[in-house]
Amino acid sequence: MSINEANKNCLQRIQESTALWSDIRPAKEVIPGMSERTVLHAGPPVAWENMCGPMRGSITGACIYEGWARTPEEVAELATSGELEFDSSHHRHAIGPMSGIITPSMEVNVVTNTVHGIETYSTLYMGIGKVLRHGAFDDEVLAKLRWMNDDLAPLLKASLLRAGGIDLKSLVAQAVQMGDELHNRNKASNALLLTSLVQHLIAVGDKAAVIEAIDFIDKAGHFILNAVMAGSKGMLDAGSNVKDSTIVTALARNGYETGIRVSGLGDTWFT
Amino acid sequence: MSINEANKNCLQRIQESTALWSDIRPAKEVIPGMSERTVLHAGPPVAWENMCGPMRGSITGACIYEGWARTPEEVAELATSGELEFDSSHHRHAIGPMSGIITPSMEVNVVTNTVHGIETYSTLYMGIGKVLRHGAFDDEVLAKLRWMNDDLAPLLKASLLRAGGIDLKSLVAQAVQMGDELHNRNKASNALLLTSLVQHLIAVGDKAAVIEAIDFIDKAGHFILNAVMAGSKGMLDAGSNVKDSTIVTALARNGYETGIRVSGLGDTWFT
């Protein structure tokens, strides 16, 4: 096949893709090969030795959250002991913003590319400021993480199931026409998301919990971002591994180096 | 004062104005000079004899809704009897879309121009299709009107009071940057409105009533339109009656003729 034909084929697979935010489930139940000590991170593979401060901070928070360690020192020891299985989230159909740390008990967005039967995963968006993805791991951050996993996630999950999922592709297509660039401006997408979800939230949740959830989503400002990342990955993954295609299907960094993957060159990272 | 200076003064009064959607109240309690048989309509003054079909249809619905008549024939008789006091809503700080009919027991949006201490009023937006403002008045339309006045209005009122009002000027300023023109496209403004109101709706209402209200507002698509009309009128009214100003502060039609008002020429209509 010529490169042009291969690229057309690749593009068609990407463009015909869908992104349905269909569920929220624990990482260990849905992410492939998630062992009891797997730690997924953003970008191409990187060893603990080369990880930047914020990524180490995120891992510290995640390990304490999981109950694997109690202090940053214990985490550092654990991380160099070989007991943790570090891997790029890209190798597990998963993705996350900034350090992108995902550990087994975290609740993750499940996004389905219904055309190609691909499921992708991402953690829930935690808000701005002092949050895990930026490397923060104090008690306040861990308490927020617990609330998100224990309270927010079940409510959102029930709402998503009642709604039959949220069509992220349609929502994003509208939002980009409404001034969002879907990274640092999500004013339209967040408002459209709330408008779509709110009846279902009210139907399945207690009044106080629903108000708390809506207040959090509204103030977080970019809540839809992580789900959209998973959706985008699911669409680009549909275009990966097309023989002879030169289209870049992944562009990601881990704080140490940046890597790309090229469709026709399989799962190899070029960093 | 020169015309230029007068116009600058007029514009400043308009531009410094605010539009706070502060309350919902029965027309007879807030609209000035609302007698027990007042019927306000859109545009400059017009007599029943000259009113177009849709405006007569709206008045028919309103009279049946008020209990003043039972049939279109009885309404026609009443309308020509001199018992009804017809007036332009513009003479009473009020405004409405299409035929713009307002009768005493209808619940109206109260919008406050806090800078100039002006309160303006408009009916609640009823949705698209077969609705009162287009002249429809069958049982379905009247039942919807009853639901809006008896169920939706108290819920919205309580939510607005709990929210401390909705800043329509800020909301509209955002929405026009998000692709809305605020007449036939209100996608952004409606989503922003729901995002602002929903926590208050949930806090003050019963679950089923809140879901019904949100579903109605969402599907109506342009729910904010009438409140924005009142807000715009309140801002333009602040610019009216500025001596020597040539700025048009009202442009409205009643289905028979179109009229304008010019700031420096007081309340006179030029049709």
Side-chain angles (χ1 to χ4, degrees), chain B residues 26-61:
Chain B
K28 62 186 162 205
E29 288 180 14
V30 284
I31 297 183
M34 198 83 186
S35 79
E36 278 182 21
R37 290 287 170 114
T38 299
V39 176
L40 303 181
H41 60 74
V46 58
W48 170 264
E49 289 71 34
N50 292 326
M51 285 179 190
C52 64
M55 186 173 276
R56 287 188 183 194
S58 297
I59 290 172
T60 302

PDB file of all heavy atoms in Angstrom, chain B residues 26-61:
ATOM      1  N   PRO B  26     -46.025  37.792  40.628  1.00  0.00           N
ATOM      2  CA  PRO B  26     -47.219  37.961  39.788  1.00  0.00           C
ATOM      3  C   PRO B  26     -47.245  39.368  39.191  1.00  0.00           C
ATOM      4  O   PRO B  26     -46.936  40.343  39.884  1.00  0.00           O
ATOM      5  CB  PRO B  26     -48.382  37.784  40.777  1.00  0.00           C
ATOM      6  CG  PRO B  26     -47.789  37.130  41.985  1.00  0.00           C
ATOM      7  CD  PRO B  26     -46.359  37.580  42.042  1.00  0.00           C
ATOM      8  N   ALA B  27     -47.646  39.459  37.922  1.00  0.00           N
ATOM      9  CA  ALA B  27     -47.674  40.748  37.225  1.00  0.00           C
ATOM     10  C   ALA B  27     -48.448  41.797  38.015  1.00  0.00           C
ATOM     11  O   ALA B  27     -48.010  42.945  38.144  1.00  0.00           O
ATOM     12  CB  ALA B  27     -48.291  40.568  35.838  1.00  0.00           C
ATOM     13  N   LYS B  28     -49.588  41.398  38.581  1.00  0.00           N
ATOM     14  CA  LYS B  28     -50.447  42.390  39.256  1.00  0.00           C
ATOM     15  C   LYS B  28     -49.777  42.996  40.489  1.00  0.00           C
ATOM     16  O   LYS B  28     -50.136  44.079  40.927  1.00  0.00           O
ATOM     17  CB  LYS B  28     -51.790  41.770  39.642  1.00  0.00           C
ATOM     18  CG  LYS B  28     -51.700  40.615  40.611  1.00  0.00           C
ATOM     19  CD  LYS B  28     -53.072  39.965  40.813  1.00  0.00           C
ATOM     20  CE  LYS B  28     -52.892  38.575  41.424  1.00  0.00           C
ATOM     21  NZ  LYS B  28     -54.000  37.682  41.119  1.00  0.00           N
ATOM     22  N   GLU B  29     -48.781  42.292  41.043  1.00  0.00           N
ATOM     23  CA  GLU B  29     -48.109  42.816  42.240  1.00  0.00           C
ATOM     24  C   GLU B  29     -46.950  43.747  41.922  1.00  0.00           C
ATOM     25  O   GLU B  29     -46.517  44.513  42.778  1.00  0.00           O
ATOM     26  CB  GLU B  29     -47.578  41.656  43.099  1.00  0.00           C
ATOM     27  CG  GLU B  29     -48.674  40.882  43.798  1.00  0.00           C
ATOM     28  CD  GLU B  29     -48.123  39.748  44.646  1.00  0.00           C
ATOM     29  OE1 GLU B  29     -46.898  39.727  44.910  1.00  0.00           O
ATOM     30  OE2 GLU B  29     -48.918  38.874  45.028  1.00  0.00           O
ATOM     31  N   VAL B  30     -46.407  43.629  40.709  1.00  0.00           N
ATOM     32  CA  VAL B  30     -45.193  44.411  40.432  1.00  0.00           C
ATOM     33  C   VAL B  30     -45.293  45.373  39.254  1.00  0.00           C
ATOM     34  O   VAL B  30     -44.630  46.408  39.240  1.00  0.00           O
ATOM     35  CB  VAL B  30     -43.965  43.489  40.193  1.00  0.00           C
ATOM     36  CG1 VAL B  30     -43.450  42.941  41.507  1.00  0.00           C
ATOM     37  CG2 VAL B  30     -44.269  42.377  39.200  1.00  0.00           C
ATOM     38  N   ILE B  31     -46.092  45.052  38.257  1.00  0.00           N
ATOM     39  CA  ILE B  31     -46.134  45.931  37.080  1.00  0.00           C
ATOM     40  C   ILE B  31     -47.001  47.153  37.399  1.00  0.00           C
ATOM     41  O   ILE B  31     -48.139  47.014  37.833  1.00  0.00           O
ATOM     42  CB  ILE B  31     -46.651  45.171  35.836  1.00  0.00           C
ATOM     43  CG1 ILE B  31     -45.664  44.036  35.491  1.00  0.00           C
ATOM     44  CG2 ILE B  31     -46.827  46.123  34.656  1.00  0.00           C
ATOM     45  CD1 ILE B  31     -46.011  43.255  34.236  1.00  0.00           C
ATOM     46  N   PRO B  32     -46.437  48.351  37.193  1.00  0.00           N
ATOM     47  CA  PRO B  32     -47.142  49.576  37.586  1.00  0.00           C
ATOM     48  C   PRO B  32     -48.501  49.710  36.889  1.00  0.00           C
ATOM     49  O   PRO B  32     -48.620  49.458  35.684  1.00  0.00           O
ATOM     50  CB  PRO B  32     -46.204  50.695  37.120  1.00  0.00           C
ATOM     51  CG  PRO B  32     -44.875  50.053  36.940  1.00  0.00           C
ATOM     52  CD  PRO B  32     -45.130  48.631  36.579  1.00  0.00           C
ATOM     53  N   GLY B  33     -49.506  50.094  37.650  1.00  0.00           N
ATOM     54  CA  GLY B  33     -50.826  50.386  37.096  1.00  0.00           C
ATOM     55  C   GLY B  33     -51.529  49.194  36.483  1.00  0.00           C
ATOM     56  O   GLY B  33     -52.337  49.343  35.568  1.00  0.00           O
ATOM     57  N   MET B  34     -51.200  47.997  36.969  1.00  0.00           N
ATOM     58  CA  MET B  34     -51.820  46.790  36.417  1.00  0.00           C
ATOM     59  C   MET B  34     -53.190  46.625  37.066  1.00  0.00           C
ATOM     60  O   MET B  34     -53.302  46.172  38.210  1.00  0.00           O
ATOM     61  CB  MET B  34     -50.912  45.593  36.738  1.00  0.00           C
ATOM     62  CG  MET B  34     -51.150  44.363  35.901  1.00  0.00           C
ATOM     63  SD  MET B  34     -50.292  44.456  34.308  1.00  0.00           S
ATOM     64  CE  MET B  34     -50.910  42.964  33.509  1.00  0.00           C
ATOM     65  N   SER B  35     -54.252  47.008  36.349  1.00  0.00           N
ATOM     66  CA  SER B  35     -55.598  46.868  36.907  1.00  0.00           C
ATOM     67  C   SER B  35     -56.035  45.415  36.795  1.00  0.00           C
ATOM     68  O   SER B  35     -55.324  44.586  36.224  1.00  0.00           O
ATOM     69  CB  SER B  35     -56.580  47.751  36.136  1.00  0.00           C
ATOM     70  OG  SER B  35     -56.927  47.114  34.916  1.00  0.00           O
ATOM     71  N   GLU B  36     -57.214  45.107  37.304  1.00  0.00           N
ATOM     72  CA  GLU B  36     -57.689  43.720  37.251  1.00  0.00           C
ATOM     73  C   GLU B  36     -58.045  43.287  35.841  1.00  0.00           C
ATOM     74  O   GLU B  36     -58.311  42.111  35.597  1.00  0.00           O
ATOM     75  CB  GLU B  36     -58.894  43.548  38.182  1.00  0.00           C
ATOM     76  CG  GLU B  36     -58.447  43.337  39.616  1.00  0.00           C
ATOM     77  CD  GLU B  36     -59.603  43.110  40.567  1.00  0.00           C
ATOM     78  OE1 GLU B  36     -60.691  42.723  40.088  1.00  0.00           O
ATOM     79  OE2 GLU B  36     -59.410  43.320  41.772  1.00  0.00           O
ATOM     80  N   ARG B  37     -58.099  44.221  34.910  1.00  0.00           N
ATOM     81  CA  ARG B  37     -58.435  43.874  33.530  1.00  0.00           C
ATOM     82  C   ARG B  37     -57.433  44.462  32.522  1.00  0.00           C
ATOM     83  O   ARG B  37     -57.782  44.752  31.385  1.00  0.00           O
ATOM     84  CB  ARG B  37     -59.864  44.368  33.196  1.00  0.00           C
ATOM     85  CG  ARG B  37     -60.976  43.591  33.907  1.00  0.00           C
ATOM     86  CD  ARG B  37     -61.148  42.201  33.303  1.00  0.00           C
ATOM     87  NE  ARG B  37     -62.023  41.341  34.094  1.00  0.00           N
ATOM     88  CZ  ARG B  37     -63.219  40.893  33.670  1.00  0.00           C
ATOM     89  NH1 ARG B  37     -63.670  41.241  32.490  1.00  0.00           N
ATOM     90  NH2 ARG B  37     -63.940  40.090  34.430  1.00  0.00           N
ATOM     91  N   THR B  38     -56.206  44.662  32.975  1.00  0.00           N
ATOM     92  CA  THR B  38     -55.179  45.179  32.062  1.00  0.00           C
ATOM     93  C   THR B  38     -54.618  44.046  31.201  1.00  0.00           C
ATOM     94  O   THR B  38     -54.340  42.959  31.698  1.00  0.00           O
ATOM     95  CB  THR B  38     -54.019  45.831  32.846  1.00  0.00           C
ATOM     96  OG1 THR B  38     -54.539  46.926  33.601  1.00  0.00           O
ATOM     97  CG2 THR B  38     -52.925  46.332  31.910  1.00  0.00           C
ATOM     98  N   VAL B  39     -54.464  44.327  29.908  1.00  0.00           N
ATOM     99  CA  VAL B  39     -53.833  43.388  28.981  1.00  0.00           C
ATOM    100  C   VAL B  39     -52.693  44.132  28.289  1.00  0.00           C
ATOM    101  O   VAL B  39     -52.933  45.041  27.486  1.00  0.00           O
ATOM    102  CB  VAL B  39     -54.840  42.877  27.924  1.00  0.00           C
ATOM    103  CG1 VAL B  39     -54.131  41.967  26.919  1.00  0.00           C
ATOM    104  CG2 VAL B  39     -56.001  42.147  28.589  1.00  0.00           C
ATOM    105  N   LEU B  40     -51.463  43.765  28.623  1.00  0.00           N
ATOM    106  CA  LEU B  40     -50.317  44.410  27.976  1.00  0.00           C
ATOM    107  C   LEU B  40     -49.918  43.609  26.744  1.00  0.00           C
ATOM    108  O   LEU B  40     -50.065  42.388  26.710  1.00  0.00           O
ATOM    109  CB  LEU B  40     -49.143  44.495  28.957  1.00  0.00           C
ATOM    110  CG  LEU B  40     -49.440  45.232  30.268  1.00  0.00           C
ATOM    111  CD1 LEU B  40     -48.194  45.263  31.155  1.00  0.00           C
ATOM    112  CD2 LEU B  40     -49.947  46.647  29.992  1.00  0.00           C
ATOM    113  N   HIS B  41     -49.425  44.324  25.724  1.00  0.00           N
ATOM    114  CA  HIS B  41     -49.027  43.658  24.480  1.00  0.00           C
ATOM    115  C   HIS B  41     -47.698  44.206  23.986  1.00  0.00           C
ATOM    116  O   HIS B  41     -47.210  45.236  24.472  1.00  0.00           O
ATOM    117  CB  HIS B  41     -50.114  43.834  23.409  1.00  0.00           C
ATOM    118  CG  HIS B  41     -50.372  45.276  23.070  1.00  0.00           C
ATOM    119  ND1 HIS B  41     -49.506  46.028  22.312  1.00  0.00           N
ATOM    120  CD2 HIS B  41     -51.398  46.104  23.410  1.00  0.00           C
ATOM    121  CE1 HIS B  41     -49.979  47.254  22.188  1.00  0.00           C
ATOM    122  NE2 HIS B  41     -51.125  47.336  22.849  1.00  0.00           N
ATOM    123  N   ALA B  42     -47.111  43.527  23.007  1.00  0.00           N
ATOM    124  CA  ALA B  42     -45.824  43.927  22.429  1.00  0.00           C
ATOM    125  C   ALA B  42     -45.968  45.200  21.599  1.00  0.00           C
ATOM    126  O   ALA B  42     -47.070  45.549  21.156  1.00  0.00           O
ATOM    127  CB  ALA B  42     -45.289  42.798  21.550  1.00  0.00           C
ATOM    128  N   GLY B  43     -44.846  45.887  21.392  1.00  0.00           N
ATOM    129  CA  GLY B  43     -44.771  47.003  20.453  1.00  0.00           C
ATOM    130  C   GLY B  43     -45.506  48.253  20.886  1.00  0.00           C
ATOM    131  O   GLY B  43     -45.934  48.377  22.039  1.00  0.00           O
ATOM    132  N   PRO B  44     -45.658  49.192  19.943  1.00  0.00           N
ATOM    133  CA  PRO B  44     -46.384  50.427  20.253  1.00  0.00           C
ATOM    134  C   PRO B  44     -47.875  50.119  20.444  1.00  0.00           C
ATOM    135  O   PRO B  44     -48.326  49.035  20.084  1.00  0.00           O
ATOM    136  CB  PRO B  44     -46.155  51.295  19.008  1.00  0.00           C
ATOM    137  CG  PRO B  44     -45.777  50.352  17.916  1.00  0.00           C
ATOM    138  CD  PRO B  44     -45.138  49.172  18.557  1.00  0.00           C
ATOM    139  N   PRO B  45     -48.640  51.056  21.012  1.00  0.00           N
ATOM    140  CA  PRO B  45     -50.064  50.812  21.262  1.00  0.00           C
ATOM    141  C   PRO B  45     -50.797  50.401  19.984  1.00  0.00           C
ATOM    142  O   PRO B  45     -50.497  50.905  18.900  1.00  0.00           O
ATOM    143  CB  PRO B  45     -50.570  52.175  21.751  1.00  0.00           C
ATOM    144  CG  PRO B  45     -49.366  52.854  22.303  1.00  0.00           C
ATOM    145  CD  PRO B  45     -48.220  52.398  21.457  1.00  0.00           C
ATOM    146  N   VAL B  46     -51.753  49.498  20.133  1.00  0.00           N
ATOM    147  CA  VAL B  46     -52.546  49.052  18.984  1.00  0.00           C
ATOM    148  C   VAL B  46     -53.934  48.668  19.503  1.00  0.00           C
ATOM    149  O   VAL B  46     -54.059  48.082  20.583  1.00  0.00           O
ATOM    150  CB  VAL B  46     -51.864  47.867  18.251  1.00  0.00           C
ATOM    151  CG1 VAL B  46     -51.625  46.681  19.175  1.00  0.00           C
ATOM    152  CG2 VAL B  46     -52.669  47.436  17.023  1.00  0.00           C
ATOM    153  N   ALA B  47     -54.965  49.034  18.743  1.00  0.00           N
ATOM    154  CA  ALA B  47     -56.341  48.709  19.146  1.00  0.00           C
ATOM    155  C   ALA B  47     -56.694  47.292  18.697  1.00  0.00           C
ATOM    156  O   ALA B  47     -56.122  46.775  17.733  1.00  0.00           O
ATOM    157  CB  ALA B  47     -57.310  49.710  18.521  1.00  0.00           C
ATOM    158  N   TRP B  48     -57.630  46.661  19.407  1.00  0.00           N
ATOM    159  CA  TRP B  48     -58.082  45.297  19.082  1.00  0.00           C
ATOM    160  C   TRP B  48     -58.420  45.170  17.596  1.00  0.00           C
ATOM    161  O   TRP B  48     -58.069  44.185  16.948  1.00  0.00           O
ATOM    162  CB  TRP B  48     -59.301  44.950  19.947  1.00  0.00           C
ATOM    163  CG  TRP B  48     -59.998  43.676  19.552  1.00  0.00           C
ATOM    164  CD1 TRP B  48     -61.095  43.551  18.751  1.00  0.00           C
ATOM    165  CD2 TRP B  48     -59.633  42.333  19.932  1.00  0.00           C
ATOM    166  NE1 TRP B  48     -61.452  42.234  18.611  1.00  0.00           N
ATOM    167  CE2 TRP B  48     -60.563  41.457  19.333  1.00  0.00           C
ATOM    168  CE3 TRP B  48     -58.612  41.801  20.729  1.00  0.00           C
ATOM    169  CZ2 TRP B  48     -60.517  40.076  19.501  1.00  0.00           C
ATOM    170  CZ3 TRP B  48     -58.563  40.418  20.890  1.00  0.00           C
ATOM    171  CH2 TRP B  48     -59.499  39.575  20.285  1.00  0.00           C
ATOM    172  N   GLU B  49     -59.070  46.208  17.042  1.00  0.00           N
ATOM    173  CA  GLU B  49     -59.496  46.189  15.639  1.00  0.00           C
ATOM    174  C   GLU B  49     -58.315  45.954  14.692  1.00  0.00           C
ATOM    175  O   GLU B  49     -58.464  45.343  13.643  1.00  0.00           O
ATOM    176  CB  GLU B  49     -60.187  47.513  15.260  1.00  0.00           C
ATOM    177  CG  GLU B  49     -61.560  47.711  15.884  1.00  0.00           C
ATOM    178  CD  GLU B  49     -61.495  47.964  17.386  1.00  0.00           C
ATOM    179  OE1 GLU B  49     -60.510  48.611  17.840  1.00  0.00           O
ATOM    180  OE2 GLU B  49     -62.389  47.487  18.109  1.00  0.00           O
ATOM    181  N   ASN B  50     -57.156  46.480  15.071  1.00  0.00           N
ATOM    182  CA  ASN B  50     -55.994  46.382  14.183  1.00  0.00           C
ATOM    183  C   ASN B  50     -55.051  45.232  14.526  1.00  0.00           C
ATOM    184  O   ASN B  50     -54.056  45.017  13.834  1.00  0.00           O
ATOM    185  CB  ASN B  50     -55.208  47.698  14.211  1.00  0.00           C
ATOM    186  CG  ASN B  50     -55.988  48.823  13.563  1.00  0.00           C
ATOM    187  OD1 ASN B  50     -56.733  48.593  12.600  1.00  0.00           O
ATOM    188  ND2 ASN B  50     -55.848  50.029  14.097  1.00  0.00           N
ATOM    189  N   MET B  51     -55.336  44.532  15.610  1.00  0.00           N
ATOM    190  CA  MET B  51     -54.412  43.457  16.018  1.00  0.00           C
ATOM    191  C   MET B  51     -54.454  42.301  15.032  1.00  0.00           C
ATOM    192  O   MET B  51     -55.513  41.949  14.513  1.00  0.00           O
ATOM    193  CB  MET B  51     -54.791  42.939  17.412  1.00  0.00           C
ATOM    194  CG  MET B  51     -54.402  43.883  18.530  1.00  0.00           C
ATOM    195  SD  MET B  51     -54.912  43.196  20.129  1.00  0.00           S
ATOM    196  CE  MET B  51     -54.622  44.605  21.197  1.00  0.00           C
ATOM    197  N   CYS B  52     -53.273  41.702  14.801  1.00  0.00           N
ATOM    198  CA  CYS B  52     -53.180  40.563  13.895  1.00  0.00           C
ATOM    199  C   CYS B  52     -53.712  39.302  14.585  1.00  0.00           C
ATOM    200  O   CYS B  52     -53.895  39.280  15.806  1.00  0.00           O
ATOM    201  CB  CYS B  52     -51.731  40.358  13.460  1.00  0.00           C
ATOM    202  SG  CYS B  52     -50.637  39.938  14.829  1.00  0.00           S
ATOM    203  N   GLY B  53     -53.936  38.271  13.799  1.00  0.00           N
ATOM    204  CA  GLY B  53     -54.492  37.015  14.309  1.00  0.00           C
ATOM    205  C   GLY B  53     -53.739  36.439  15.494  1.00  0.00           C
ATOM    206  O   GLY B  53     -54.346  36.126  16.529  1.00  0.00           O
ATOM    207  N   PRO B  54     -52.411  36.282  15.383  1.00  0.00           N
ATOM    208  CA  PRO B  54     -51.674  35.697  16.512  1.00  0.00           C
ATOM    209  C   PRO B  54     -51.823  36.496  17.808  1.00  0.00           C
ATOM    210  O   PRO B  54     -51.952  35.913  18.882  1.00  0.00           O
ATOM    211  CB  PRO B  54     -50.223  35.706  16.013  1.00  0.00           C
ATOM    212  CG  PRO B  54     -50.352  35.594  14.533  1.00  0.00           C
ATOM    213  CD  PRO B  54     -51.571  36.408  14.181  1.00  0.00           C
ATOM    214  N   MET B  55     -51.834  37.843  17.717  1.00  0.00           N
ATOM    215  CA  MET B  55     -51.992  38.628  18.948  1.00  0.00           C
ATOM    216  C   MET B  55     -53.393  38.422  19.523  1.00  0.00           C
ATOM    217  O   MET B  55     -53.556  38.257  20.735  1.00  0.00           O
ATOM    218  CB  MET B  55     -51.723  40.114  18.707  1.00  0.00           C
ATOM    219  CG  MET B  55     -51.751  40.926  20.011  1.00  0.00           C
ATOM    220  SD  MET B  55     -51.252  42.646  19.828  1.00  0.00           S
ATOM    221  CE  MET B  55     -49.473  42.522  19.930  1.00  0.00           C
ATOM    222  N   ARG B  56     -54.397  38.380  18.650  1.00  0.00           N
ATOM    223  CA  ARG B  56     -55.760  38.102  19.140  1.00  0.00           C
ATOM    224  C   ARG B  56     -55.830  36.708  19.765  1.00  0.00           C
ATOM    225  O   ARG B  56     -56.505  36.498  20.779  1.00  0.00           O
ATOM    226  CB  ARG B  56     -56.766  38.203  17.992  1.00  0.00           C
ATOM    227  CG  ARG B  56     -57.012  39.634  17.549  1.00  0.00           C
ATOM    228  CD  ARG B  56     -58.153  39.689  16.551  1.00  0.00           C
ATOM    229  NE  ARG B  56     -58.360  41.045  16.059  1.00  0.00           N
ATOM    230  CZ  ARG B  56     -59.438  41.447  15.400  1.00  0.00           C
ATOM    231  NH1 ARG B  56     -60.408  40.574  15.136  1.00  0.00           N
ATOM    232  NH2 ARG B  56     -59.554  42.686  14.996  1.00  0.00           N
ATOM    233  N   GLY B  57     -55.124  35.768  19.147  1.00  0.00           N
ATOM    234  CA  GLY B  57     -55.086  34.405  19.696  1.00  0.00           C
ATOM    235  C   GLY B  57     -54.478  34.389  21.088  1.00  0.00           C
ATOM    236  O   GLY B  57     -54.984  33.736  22.008  1.00  0.00           O
ATOM    237  N   SER B  58     -53.385  35.127  21.253  1.00  0.00           N
ATOM    238  CA  SER B  58     -52.725  35.197  22.565  1.00  0.00           C
ATOM    239  C   SER B  58     -53.661  35.802  23.596  1.00  0.00           C
ATOM    240  O   SER B  58     -53.741  35.332  24.741  1.00  0.00           O
ATOM    241  CB  SER B  58     -51.475  36.072  22.488  1.00  0.00           C
ATOM    242  OG  SER B  58     -50.536  35.534  21.613  1.00  0.00           O
ATOM    243  N   ILE B  59     -54.348  36.865  23.197  1.00  0.00           N
ATOM    244  CA  ILE B  59     -55.269  37.528  24.132  1.00  0.00           C
ATOM    245  C   ILE B  59     -56.414  36.579  24.487  1.00  0.00           C
ATOM    246  O   ILE B  59     -56.844  36.509  25.642  1.00  0.00           O
ATOM    247  CB  ILE B  59     -55.786  38.854  23.521  1.00  0.00           C
ATOM    248  CG1 ILE B  59     -54.624  39.848  23.475  1.00  0.00           C
ATOM    249  CG2 ILE B  59     -56.958  39.407  24.318  1.00  0.00           C
ATOM    250  CD1 ILE B  59     -54.918  41.126  22.720  1.00  0.00           C
ATOM    251  N   THR B  60     -56.867  35.820  23.492  1.00  0.00           N
ATOM    252  CA  THR B  60     -57.914  34.828  23.744  1.00  0.00           C
ATOM    253  C   THR B  60     -57.451  33.848  24.819  1.00  0.00           C
ATOM    254  O   THR B  60     -58.160  33.587  25.801  1.00  0.00           O
ATOM    255  CB  THR B  60     -58.247  34.067  22.441  1.00  0.00           C
ATOM    256  OG1 THR B  60     -58.659  35.029  21.461  1.00  0.00           O
ATOM    257  CG2 THR B  60     -59.347  33.045  22.663  1.00  0.00           C
ATOM    258  N   GLY B  61     -56.235  33.320  24.640  1.00  0.00           N
ATOM    259  CA  GLY B  61     -55.690  32.381  25.627  1.00  0.00           C
ATOM    260  C   GLY B  61     -55.572  33.016  26.995  1.00  0.00           C
ATOM    261  O   GLY B  61     -55.926  32.416  28.018  1.00  0.00           O
TER     262      GLY B  61
END
